[in-house]
Amino acid sequence: MNKSSAAFPVEISIVIPLLNEAESLPELTRWIARVLQARGLTYEVILIDDGSTDDSWGVIEALATEDAALRGIRFNRNYGKSAALNVGFEAARGRVVCTMDADLQDSPEELPELYRMITEDKFDLVSGWKQKRFDPLSKTIPTKLFNGATRWISGIQLHDFNCGLKSYDQRVVKSIEVYGEMHRYIPVIAKWNGFRKIGEKVVQHQERKYGVTKFGLERFIYGFLDLASITFVSRFRRRPMHFFGTLGTLSFFIGMVLTLWLTGEKVWLSLHNLRARDVTSQPLFFLALVAVIVGVQLFLAGFLAEMVQLNGPRRNDYLVRETLN
């Protein structure tokens, strides 16, 4: 174990969420052991059974009796990949934490280089890029759209945000919380927590050998909703008044300008003995009225959110990287 890893029980933790992957687990764990032992890396494999209905947990129990490096966590029911990753991150003890899928489509041969990029190149996070995929068009085309939208909103230039094969400095996984369907946006969450050195590595993608995919097209709909949610929460969680107050002020200003315009027009026409419609008979007046009301409501929403934030237990919860003396 090198000096940089001396404070950690193992050099690398591999976190693997799984659902009904009993057939692939023996081959996957043997493959991981063969690769890492050949490189002389100390490791642990954390298998999180996300409510499998097949014999996945029985297989994990059997494998753990043969290999002390294997650790298992079993959920009482299916909670989703984000929940499995979050629990795995909490349990991980390695200097570097890697994630991968259990379906044998991610190659363990990539792990040593992913480890090196964290420890030697000093990346905070390295994401895999499946440049050549063995997936149907129904999956690859929505994936490209999803990745393009995420790049545009986040400013992170990754080709494949949702690749399961990633490596992290331990500081990253211990500083972030993953919930809902946020596992797709871990690079985004990491960046907005101050971990900005994010790299990418082309990785080998293999055809599925056992079972069937556990994800449907609905994940892309949820994905874009989650992106909007994480964008708002990350940018305005500590200053909600900046978001709601700005929109509210803008809406109120537009409504007042329209109202004053209509009133001024009515007065000017009357003074010149010209025919003028009643202000309240014009559709534009009601649009102005709605804009004023919405503006006031948004401003109040921002004020209430600010009060909740000020009284929240985590209002001064900040990540401190290091201290001296």
Side-chain angles (χ1 to χ4, degrees):
M1 187 180 296
N2 59 43
K3 291 182 179 180
S4 65
S5 301
F8 300 92
V10 292
E11 291 171 291
I12 181 170
S13 297
I14 300 97
V15 176
I16 305 176
L18 62 104
L19 176 64
N20 297 334
E21 298 287 359
E23 294 175 298
S24 64
L25 291 176
E27 183 176 343
L28 176 62
T29 53
R30 287 195 297 267
W31 192 358
I32 292 172
R34 184 170 65 251
V35 170
L36 297 183
Q37 289 172 8
R39 298 296 184 96
L41 291 169
T42 58
Y43 69 95
E44 63 180 356
V45 178
I46 305 173
L47 300 166
I48 302 99
D49 183 354
D50 186 22
S52 294
T53 54
D54 66 354
D55 193 36
S56 292
W57 185 249
V59 172
I60 293 172
E61 288 180 314
L63 293 171
T65 60
E66 302 171 4
D67 187 351
L70 295 186
R71 301 170 63 195
I73 298 173
R74 186 185 190 186
F75 284 171
N76 196 50
R77 65 172 180 84
N78 177 249
Y79 288 100
K81 189 173 183 178
S82 291
L85 287 175
N86 198 64
V87 170
F89 288 162
E90 291 177 354
R93 302 174 297 171
R95 163 70 179 82
V96 174
V97 179
C98 292
T99 60
M100 62 188 305
D101 294 334
D103 55 12
L104 294 174
Q105 291 190 280
D106 294 334
S107 172
E109 302 290 344
E110 309 286 355
L111 294 173
E113 178 61 15
L114 289 170
Y115 173 82
R116 188 200 66 77
M117 292 177 74
I118 297 293
T119 56
E120 296 182 17
D121 295 341
K122 303 303 180 183
F123 283 101
D124 294 318
L125 184 159
V126 179
S127 181
W129 173 21
K130 298 172 183 176
Q131 195 171 27
K132 182 179 179 182
R133 301 180 67 101
F134 293 94
D135 291 322
L137 289 176
S138 61
K139 186 175 180 180
T140 56
I141 292 177
T143 296
K144 288 182 181 295
L145 295 173
F146 161 79
N147 286 320
T150 308
R151 277 195 301 273
W152 177 66
I153 292 174
S154 69
I156 303 173
Q157 298 306 309
L158 295 180
H159 290 86
D160 191 357
F161 283 85
N162 199 32
C163 178
L165 193 55
K166 289 183 174 68
S167 62
Y168 308 83
D169 186 291
Q170 197 200 62
R171 294 179 298 110
V172 177
V173 301
K174 299 301 182 182
S175 301
I176 64 176
E177 182 181 7
V178 189
Y179 59 92
E181 296 294 322
M182 298 301 183
H183 59 273
R184 302 180 182 92
Y185 303 109
I186 293 180
V188 181
I189 297 171
K191 177 187 175 182
W192 285 332
N193 276 277
F195 300 103
R196 297 184 177 277
K197 192 169 183 182
I198 298 173
E200 186 172 58
K201 181 186 183 302
V202 175
V203 297
Q204 181 182 358
H205 185 228
Q206 304 179 117
E207 295 187 65
R208 173 178 278 274
K209 192 172 182 179
Y210 304 106
V212 296
T213 182
K214 310 301 188 300
F215 301 101
L217 290 176
E218 71 277 359
R219 68 178 182 149
F220 296 105
I221 299 174
Y222 300 151
F224 286 114
L225 294 175
D226 287 332
L227 179 58
S229 175
I230 194 63
T231 300
F232 173 79
V233 171
S234 298
R235 293 184 177 180
F236 301 105
R237 184 183 66 182
R238 297 187 186 280
R239 44 192 177 91
M241 190 59 163
H242 288 194
F243 178 79
F244 291 107
T246 299
L247 291 180
T249 301
L250 182 62
S251 180
F252 183 85
F253 177 76
I254 292 173
M256 287 303 298
V257 167
L258 291 175
T259 302
L260 292 173
W261 169 266
L262 292 173
T263 304
E265 183 185 44
K266 169 73 172 178
V267 171
W268 187 88
L269 291 173
S270 298
L271 290 175
H272 291 78
N273 298 316
L274 297 174
R275 183 180 179 183
R277 295 170 61 189
D278 291 337
V279 171
T280 55
S281 67
Q282 300 186 52
L284 194 59
F285 170 76
F286 294 99
L287 291 177
L289 186 62
V290 169
V292 170
I293 294 172
V294 169
V296 172
Q297 290 179 329
L298 286 172
F299 189 88
L300 289 176
F303 178 76
L304 292 174
E306 197 77 20
M307 295 298 293
V308 171
Q309 169 63 23
L310 288 173
N311 289 280
R314 299 183 63 186
R315 63 185 180 276
N316 284 318
D317 185 12
Y318 308 111
L319 297 178
V320 178
R321 181 161 184 164
E322 56 186 320
T323 60
L324 289 173
N325 299 328

